[in-house]
Amino acid sequence: MTLKVAVLGTGKIGEALLSGMLRAGWAPEDLLVTARRPERAEELRARHGVSPVGNAEAAKSADILILTVKPQDMGTLLDELAPHLPADRLVISGAAGIPTAFFEDRLAPGTPVVRVMTNTPALVDEAMSVISAGTHATEEHLAHAETIFGGVGKTLRVPETQQDAATALSGSGPAYFYFLVEAMTDAGILLGLPRDKAHELIVQAAVGAAVMLRDSGEHPVKLRENVTSPAGTTINAIRELENHGVRAALIAALEAARDRSRELAAGA
């Protein structure tokens, strides 16, 4: 049976999922989208050949609903969907911090909900999407979520109790790397390099290091030690990072992100 999927609140991440499904072989006629602005909905129709609909129509027609609106808008959206959404439809939430119980309490009893935290590299098919089952979600429901999000990167299943940590580490993770690249580029300028050359050097170093981490199977400590010669340049830089508490600052930053994820859930 062909499943019909609706992406509700189709912003950048929602559109990335949409294009990933199309590349994976989904037919445009089986994909529905909703958008707050009519011109955005028409843009999606023109670009991808999908059908823009209202939220109520999406709830009635789709077998799977992917909710990609902002966390603060989720309650309003669920209130709109609930009268029209049968209990046998799969609901996939991409909202940071909001637990599956929030959806289960507002939708028909027994509605299967899967919670997914993805990240912005979905735009280049390099996402990390962390998937958790709600109370009524089965293996089949999780497999559907993996198929959809696998089109834009890798997927990983975790218990929902680990979602806030995954949000801090992976959902927000790209921003930490951008921040680091920004700082290192500024350092390159301070050391006398033009900005464009400093940027190119750092970006390629980051790409190369990431591929080595992914493909070598080596522990990051081992890979770092391979670059760190006795009394060399790298160990002097590492000493300064440790002297300035960079490791402790990163841990504190991730704890702050995790705590904010919990606050979002409490606010919801």
Side-chain angles (χ1 to χ4, degrees):
M1 182 182 68
T2 301
L3 296 175
K4 192 174 287 292
V5 179
V7 182
L8 281 70
T10 314
K12 288 185 178 180
I13 293 294
E15 186 174 4
L17 290 173
L18 194 67
S19 62
M21 283 186 283
L22 288 166
R23 288 192 302 276
W26 294 76
E29 56 266 26
D30 293 325
L31 299 175
L32 308 174
V33 295
T34 76
R36 179 172 295 179
R37 295 179 293 107
E39 59 270 27
R40 170 62 174 166
E42 288 305 314
E43 177 184 304
L44 292 167
R45 184 206 297 271
R47 186 177 297 161
H48 302 290
V50 297
S51 301
V53 296
N55 290 329
E57 179 60 30
K60 296 174 185 176
S61 303
D63 302 291
I64 301 174
L65 285 81
I66 307 172
L67 312 186
T68 61
V69 301
K70 295 178 180 179
Q72 59 266 33
D73 296 329
M74 192 62 76
T76 301
L77 175 61
L78 292 177
D79 289 343
E80 186 178 352
L81 295 177
H84 310 286
L85 187 66
D88 62 346
R89 306 299 164 84
L90 170 59
V91 174
I92 300 176
S93 165
I98 302 184
T100 55
F102 180 86
F103 299 85
E104 293 166 351
D105 290 344
R106 287 160 176 79
L107 299 174
T111 299
V113 180
V114 172
R115 178 177 172 182
V116 182
M117 183 70 249
T118 193
N119 55 19
T120 55
L123 298 170
V124 292
D125 292 346
E126 291 290 350
M128 183 73 247
S129 300
V130 183
I131 297 174
S132 301
T135 305
H136 310 293
T138 66
E139 173 65 30
E140 182 181 11
H141 296 131
L142 289 169
H144 287 321
E146 287 175 330
T147 297
I148 291 168
F149 283 83
V152 293
K154 297 184 68 174
T155 63
L156 178 69
R157 294 188 194 183
V158 302
E160 190 171 9
T161 54
Q162 296 176 3
Q163 272 282 356
D164 291 324
T167 297
L169 197 65
S170 180
S172 301
Y176 314 145
F177 288 97
Y178 302 145
F179 183 87
L180 181 61
V181 168
E182 178 188 0
M184 292 178 72
T185 301
D186 287 344
I189 296 169
L190 180 66
L191 296 174
L193 289 168
R195 176 174 292 277
D196 60 338
K197 289 184 171 59
H199 178 77
E200 184 175 358
L201 288 168
I202 294 304
V203 169
Q204 186 55 37
V207 171
V211 171
M212 289 185 70
L213 277 167
R214 184 190 64 192
D215 295 348
S216 70
E218 295 281 4
H219 193 281
V221 170
K222 175 64 175 175
L223 293 175
R224 179 180 60 78
E225 287 177 345
N226 289 343
V227 188
T228 310
S229 304
T233 59
T234 306
I235 191 60
N236 274 273
I238 296 295
R239 180 188 63 184
E240 288 303 313
L241 292 173
E242 295 289 8
N243 287 343
H244 286 81
V246 171
R247 189 186 303 267
L250 283 171
I251 293 172
L254 267 67
E255 288 177 334
R258 177 207 59 196
D259 293 346
R260 179 54 180 158
S261 183
R262 291 174 176 173
E263 289 171 3
L264 288 171

